[in-house]
Amino acid sequence: MEMRWFLSKIQDDFRGGKINLEKTQRLLEKLDIRCSYIHVKQIFKDNDRLKQGRITIEEFRAIYRIITHREEIIEIFNAYSENRKILLENNLAQFLTQEQYTAEMSKTIAFEIIQKYEPIEEVRKAHQMSLEGFTRYMNSRECLLFKNECRKVYQDMSHPLSDYFISSSHNTYLVSDQLLGPSDLWGYVSALVKGCRCLEIDCWDGAQNEPVVYHGYTLTSKLLFKTVIQAIQKYAFMTSDYPVVLSLENHCSTAQQEVMADNLQATFGESLLSDMLDDFPDTLPSPEALKFKILVKNKKIGTLKETRERKGSDKRGDNQDKETGVKKLPGVMLFKKKKTRKLKIALALSDLVIYTKAEKFKSFQHSRLYQQFNENNSIGETQARKLSKLRVHEFIFHTRKFITRIYPKATRADSSNFNPQEFWNIGCQMVALNFQTPGLPMDLQNGKFLDNGGSGYILKPQFLRESKSYFNPSNIKEGMPITLTIRLISGIQLPLTHSSSNKGDSLVIIEVFGVPNDQMKQQTRVIKKNAFSPRWNETFTFIIHVPELALIRFVVESQGLIAGNEFLGQYTLPLLCMNKGYRRVPLFSRMGESLEPASLFVYVWYVR
């Protein structure tokens, strides 16, 4: 039956005789088989017996079986099939219940899966599933490791803004290093497309009364402020409906601040939040209440009540002194000289700051006594790290109430990043990273914010929101740990290094990121000379004490004995977004691009 179906699908393509590599690739795609051209090329070469660059129908069938009929899938199919040829609807329902943890309505789901994935019509009509259908189901999005429920906004979005982790970027306009590299609108566009909700804009006086955006006192190129916010307006709500915060690093004269205020109002119109949502607020509004709104984060003069009283009046030429610490870089050297001077704030710009007033952090005690609910702090990573070690309880108490932004230290001239996990562990809402720099920190950032529909807002765990909680990430005394078991079964068409054919030497590292006690790394043995279908069948167990903060990262490497191992691909996701059962782990490049169909095949189980 399968043979008859298979020949009916391909025989027309062989009417003219043998087919070449390109036609082989197209025919595989026609049969709904995703495959990497590089791997197909090698398998084609191995099966082209006459070495003429053209294959027969029998040789194509051999190639198809190599790519499609994976041993590990056949083993699972045979375990549930009564005759090793067909799965009855009941067999599939049993598989879904026992292996995929689909407890409810498994019979109905089994029927839907057969209708969707079984390609052989007579089998489908009999409510059965062939190996062809089962293979297509196991390769589908439904069997991915990431839970479908986490692909949409499912968390309560009615808490105050300070109760959420917020996807944030640092010096968003830079696409390279901090000193000489270009400033580019693409920095803003790509960050917004990734779900970033807090963008940084460094504003300086420009020619012809037009403010510009660049990294001051460096040789980075300049963008017009109005061009930047026009790009933001276009892409702000493409990925997420929830509010975007424009964090202004403002170095402009009052005249050009007024131009900025005009630009902001003209560009964003009704989307720009320029008044309180309630008459006498004492807590921040929620992401839900601020949907499709742009918030300006900047220094502010006076109170929200005074701002409301001035609404509609002409504020041009009206400004006040605000003492601020301005950092200067002599030339392009990286030594920062702190110089305190009075920066005049234009009232027109100040009055656009409502719930995100930038306030210099002095101490936790000062904040407890004097800081207003709408005042936010930005703290450099070095100071934040020191405070998190010396005053962790005070720090967590602070982040329960006030939005706290952590940014990379000035000496990271190469735009490198710190590990954001240590600051998420203490409840910091805006952990700002250089989005243009690939590597572990951005893998963690991208992985964490896959959750909650990629909306850029993730509700913090209750222990980081409750005033009565005594949570300390370095000293976990309560809670129920999760035992996570991952059986790493195999690799599927793994990416290849520049130096290898599909005979690479592959290994996988599984890492846990979370509170210090949960940080752990385990790795497989090396499978020699097989990047196409390496089989590990190794089981790893992790005890995770704070699953709410844990991220799991899979890294695939090619062993290199001389130059060290070469990174091939990775995937990171929150532990609580992991499906149980037989799952496929998609792989992404260092730059965050999908490497489909390259993936890992795993069996996941966890219990609390």
Side-chain angles (χ1 to χ4, degrees):
M1 189 163 42
E2 284 186 43
M3 185 62 173
R4 197 164 62 242
W5 165 81
F6 183 72
L7 289 173
S8 74
K9 285 284 184 185
I10 68 167
Q11 56 197 10
D12 283 354
D13 294 84
F14 284 91
R15 291 210 188 278
K18 296 181 177 183
I19 63 170
N20 63 13
L21 172 61
E22 283 65 33
K23 199 157 185 187
T24 299
Q25 176 87 5
R26 284 200 300 275
L27 191 47
L28 287 165
E29 287 165 5
K30 179 180 156 185
L31 290 162
D32 294 324
I33 302 302
R34 289 174 301 173
C35 39
S36 147
Y37 180 78
I38 282 182
H39 282 297
V40 173
K41 185 178 176 183
Q42 186 63 45
I43 295 164
F44 181 95
K45 189 178 166 188
D46 293 344
N47 284 271
D48 175 12
R49 287 193 292 270
L50 298 178
K51 307 299 177 201
Q52 293 175 341
R54 298 172 74 77
I55 57 166
T56 63
I57 197 165
E58 291 80 16
E59 288 167 336
F60 176 79
R61 184 166 176 249
I63 290 170
Y64 176 83
R65 288 171 69 88
I66 290 166
I67 292 172
T68 312
H69 296 174
R70 291 176 13 234
E71 283 175 31
E72 59 272 37
I73 301 293
I74 294 170
E75 285 165 17
I76 301 165
F77 180 84
N78 288 344
Y80 283 88
S81 169
E82 292 171 16
N83 61 2
R84 297 187 157 218
K85 290 178 182 174
I86 287 292
L87 278 179
L88 302 177
E89 196 175 284
N90 282 343
N91 301 147
L92 182 58
Q94 189 187 3
F95 166 76
L96 293 172
T97 304
Q98 291 184 3
E99 307 290 5
Q100 303 300 77
Y101 297 88
T102 311
E104 296 168 19
M105 296 172 67
S106 57
K107 193 90 189 286
T108 310
I109 295 167
F111 171 76
E112 288 169 359
I113 287 170
I114 288 169
Q115 295 308 306
K116 190 171 180 182
Y117 297 104
E118 178 51 57
I120 304 171
E121 191 178 0
E122 56 198 289
V123 177
R124 189 169 63 245
K125 281 183 174 172
H127 293 202
Q128 297 172 350
M129 195 171 226
S130 66
L131 177 62
E132 295 293 340
F134 190 68
T135 296
R136 282 159 177 75
Y137 164 64
M138 294 301 284
N139 283 334
S140 74
R141 285 177 65 83
E142 291 181 50
C143 289
L144 285 173
L145 182 60
F146 191 76
K147 277 183 185 172
N148 250 341
E149 307 90 90
C150 299
R151 292 183 190 280
K152 56 183 185 292
V153 175
Y154 67 93
Q155 296 177 348
D156 183 351
M157 302 302 281
S158 62
H159 287 256
L161 279 180
S162 50
D163 278 0
Y164 297 84
F165 293 119
I166 303 169
S167 178
S168 306
S169 73
H170 172 250
N171 287 355
T172 319
Y173 49 88
L174 294 178
V175 291
S176 180
D177 66 70
Q178 304 281 311
L179 300 179
L180 303 167
S183 302
D184 199 297
L185 290 176
W186 178 244
Y188 290 99
V189 173
S190 62
L192 287 166
V193 167
K194 286 178 186 169
C196 183
R197 299 286 88 190
C198 178
L199 307 170
E200 188 176 22
I201 312 179
D202 271 23
C203 310
W204 297 80
D205 280 356
Q208 298 170 321
N209 209 29
E210 284 285 2
V212 292
V213 174
Y214 83 112
H215 198 186
Y217 306 113
T218 69
L219 300 179
T220 56
S221 58
K222 298 174 183 177
L223 300 167
L224 287 179
F225 176 76
K226 67 180 179 187
T227 312
V228 166
I229 61 171
Q230 283 162 5
I232 292 170
Q233 190 271 332
K234 190 174 176 184
Y235 290 92
F237 303 108
M238 190 171 275
T239 300
S240 168
D241 300 348
Y242 293 98
V244 172
V245 178
L246 304 183
S247 182
L248 303 183
E249 188 78 30
N250 183 6
H251 306 275
C252 291
S253 62
T254 51
Q256 295 212 11
Q257 286 180 45
E258 287 176 351
V259 174
M260 286 166 63
D262 288 345
N263 288 162
L264 288 163
Q265 286 168 311
T267 303
F268 295 116
E270 288 297 305
S271 296
L272 185 68
L273 187 80
S274 55
D275 195 7
M276 297 178 283
L277 298 183
D278 305 309
D279 286 342
F280 301 105
D282 59 357
T283 57
L284 292 168
S286 68
E288 191 63 36
L290 292 167
K291 262 185 170 180
F292 301 110
K293 289 292 183 187
I294 302 286
L295 279 63
V296 175
K297 181 173 174 286
N298 190 58
K299 303 277 186 199
K300 182 174 178 64
I301 302 159
T303 65
L304 287 171
K305 190 168 175 286
E306 290 165 349
T307 296
R308 176 169 278 186
E309 286 165 359
R310 283 192 294 268
K311 199 160 176 65
S313 64
D314 183 12
K315 301 161 193 171
R316 288 182 180 283
D318 201 346
N319 52 72
Q320 291 183 25
D321 288 345
K322 179 89 176 173
E323 197 173 88
T324 182
V326 175
K327 297 171 183 173
K328 267 203 166 187
L329 283 166
V332 296
M333 294 296 288
L334 247 230
F335 304 108
K336 288 217 168 192
K337 224 188 251 175
K338 254 199 170 183
K339 182 180 170 189
T340 303
R341 66 174 172 87
K342 289 191 185 301
L343 175 73
K344 286 187 185 298
I345 306 283
L347 213 52
L349 184 60
S350 169
D351 281 0
L352 297 180
V353 177
I354 308 298
Y355 296 118
T356 43
K357 176 186 176 185
E359 193 64 30
K360 186 176 172 58
F361 176 76
K362 294 184 176 72
S363 70
F364 292 130
Q365 185 185 9
H366 182 274
S367 295
R368 247 189 340 267
L369 294 171
Y370 304 110
Q371 192 160 329
Q372 300 301 303
F373 77 97
N374 67 324
E375 294 178 338
N376 316 154
N377 306 124
S378 282
I379 308 175
E381 64 166 298
T382 307
Q383 185 188 9
R385 193 170 288 119
K386 192 182 289 183
L387 289 169
S388 72
K389 286 183 172 65
L390 299 175
R391 299 182 180 276
V392 65
H393 286 297
E394 287 180 85
F395 208 147
I396 292 173
F397 184 85
H398 182 83
T399 61
R400 282 192 193 112
K401 198 169 179 187
F402 305 114
I403 292 177
T404 305
R405 178 177 172 271
I406 309 297
Y407 60 91
K409 59 188 176 187
T411 50
R412 293 186 182 272
D414 58 351
S415 296
S416 61
N417 283 312
F418 52 84
N419 183 334
Q421 186 71 48
E422 59 179 314
F423 301 115
W424 290 328
N425 286 346
I426 52 173
C428 296
Q429 295 85 348
M430 296 179 170
V431 181
L433 297 181
N434 292 303
F435 268 47
Q436 74 274 27
T437 307
L440 170 65
M442 274 309 295
D443 291 345
L444 299 181
Q445 158 77 25
N446 292 337
K448 185 173 188 69
F449 286 98
L450 283 174
D451 197 2
N452 205 29
S455 62
Y457 284 84
I458 294 172
L459 187 62
K460 296 199 285 186
Q462 201 165 358
F463 53 76
L464 288 173
R465 293 184 271 125
E466 277 188 342
S467 54
K468 290 176 184 169
S469 166
Y470 293 96
F471 176 74
N472 177 350
S474 299
N475 187 13
I476 305 299
K477 290 178 178 172
E478 50 195 62
M480 291 177 66
I482 273 182
T483 301
L484 169 68
T485 303
I486 298 173
R487 179 154 63 95
L488 192 70
I489 302 168
S490 61
I492 305 163
Q493 300 186 47
L494 298 182
L496 299 170
T497 64
H498 300 299
S499 55
S500 70
S501 64
N502 64 352
K503 305 285 194 285
D505 300 341
S506 314
L507 66 123
V508 179
I509 299 161
I510 303 175
E511 299 172 287
V512 180
F513 292 88
V515 298
N517 212 23
D518 287 342
Q519 308 269 20
M520 196 177 177
K521 181 192 287 195
Q522 298 192 51
Q523 78 174 55
T524 65
R525 69 189 188 282
V526 176
I527 300 290
K528 296 279 187 184
K529 298 183 178 175
N530 185 357
F532 175 68
S533 57
R535 290 283 299 272
W536 285 281
N537 268 327
E538 292 185 53
T539 301
F540 303 98
T541 300
F542 303 88
I543 308 294
I544 297 170
H545 299 85
V546 188
E548 296 86 349
L549 290 171
L551 296 171
I552 311 298
R553 183 172 185 249
F554 297 82
V555 184
V556 183
E557 293 182 350
S558 177
Q559 188 184 46
L561 298 174
I562 299 167
N565 291 357
E566 191 173 335
F567 172 92
L568 296 181
Q570 71 84 34
Y571 185 65
T572 306
L573 79 167
L575 166 63
L576 297 180
C577 291
M578 286 172 76
N579 271 316
K580 294 178 183 177
Y582 287 104
R583 300 293 167 183
R584 199 165 56 82
V585 182
L587 294 176
F588 288 79
S589 72
R590 194 175 285 285
M591 296 303 294
E593 296 145 342
S594 170
L595 295 170
E596 283 278 10
S599 48
L600 299 171
F601 188 54
V602 298
Y603 185 85
V604 174
W605 187 70
Y606 53 88
V607 66
R608 199 166 196 172

